[in-house]
Amino acid sequence: MTVVQRISLLLKLILSSLFGLLLIFEYFDGVHDLSDWAVFFFFILMVNDCYIHYRVAKGRSFKEWVLSPRDDGKKLLMNGIFFAVLLISILSEFIFVMDVGTRDIFYKSLFIIWSGIFLGVNIYKLKETFNLKRLMVTNVALMILIGSVVMF
């Protein structure tokens, strides 16, 4: 590994550790809300990024894994809905005047809609090509939907 790769990996490990610490504090703060899920997903993304970066820095081959070999607009739909949820949350913070309870219900309902669409797309893809990776992603999507409904 070069010095730049080591520094980059070290920074990613530090950031992953900080997200892990934030995950622990979010779990024990006693308030179970959307931020608990968000920190968990960011932690998983950072650990995955560290793992891929480590494999590439060691010179090991890493097979690219794509969820959908052909994109027929579903990925664009999911990203658009996710972007709309983020945009609406930002607008509701600064432009719209909403009390905390209404905003919380609004966030949770948008998260349920997004996770339902995410599960639907994955079930559709699972019916097309049944493999273990797709089944795992579909199960994760189901857990996200169940968690968002329980959180509501």
Side-chain angles (χ1 to χ4, degrees):
M1 276 197 285
T2 65
V3 175
V4 175
Q5 287 176 331
R6 287 182 184 181
I7 292 172
S8 176
L9 185 61
L10 179 67
L11 290 174
K12 288 181 184 214
L13 285 173
I14 290 171
L15 190 58
S16 297
S17 303
L18 290 174
F19 270 115
L21 188 65
L22 182 62
L23 178 67
I24 291 170
F25 285 134
E26 279 290 330
Y27 179 73
F28 288 118
D29 71 350
V31 179
H32 301 292
D33 55 354
L34 193 59
S35 64
D36 294 340
W37 287 95
V39 171
F40 175 72
F41 291 135
F42 284 131
F43 177 71
I44 295 297
L45 285 173
M46 287 306 303
V47 169
N48 184 40
D49 189 43
C50 284
Y51 173 70
I52 291 173
H53 188 82
Y54 177 74
R55 293 278 306 236
V56 169
K58 283 292 191 179
R60 298 182 185 145
S61 63
F62 188 79
K63 180 182 167 191
E64 281 288 323
W65 180 49
V66 182
L67 288 179
S68 56
R70 61 184 194 284
D71 186 10
D72 33 350
K74 291 175 184 61
K75 192 181 291 185
L76 183 64
L77 173 71
M78 289 301 299
N79 289 335
I81 290 172
F82 190 68
F83 179 72
V85 168
L86 290 177
L87 186 65
I88 288 171
S89 67
I90 291 170
L91 289 177
S92 70
E93 288 286 332
F94 297 111
I95 296 175
F96 304 130
V97 178
M98 302 171 95
D99 63 341
V100 176
T102 308
R103 189 178 321 139
D104 196 33
I105 290 172
F106 188 66
Y107 288 161
K108 289 176 182 178
S109 61
L110 283 175
F111 192 65
I112 288 172
I113 291 169
W114 178 82
S115 59
I117 293 173
F118 184 55
L119 178 64
V121 167
N122 279 303
I123 287 174
Y124 176 74
K125 290 289 186 178
L126 183 66
K127 286 182 180 179
E128 282 183 1
T129 58
F130 187 83
N131 57 19
L132 188 60
K133 293 175 187 175
R134 178 61 64 186
L135 182 64
M136 183 186 72
V137 172
T138 305
N139 284 330
V140 168
L142 180 64
M143 288 189 297
I144 292 171
L145 180 62
I146 289 171
S148 62
V149 168
V150 167
M151 195 172 57
F152 194 66

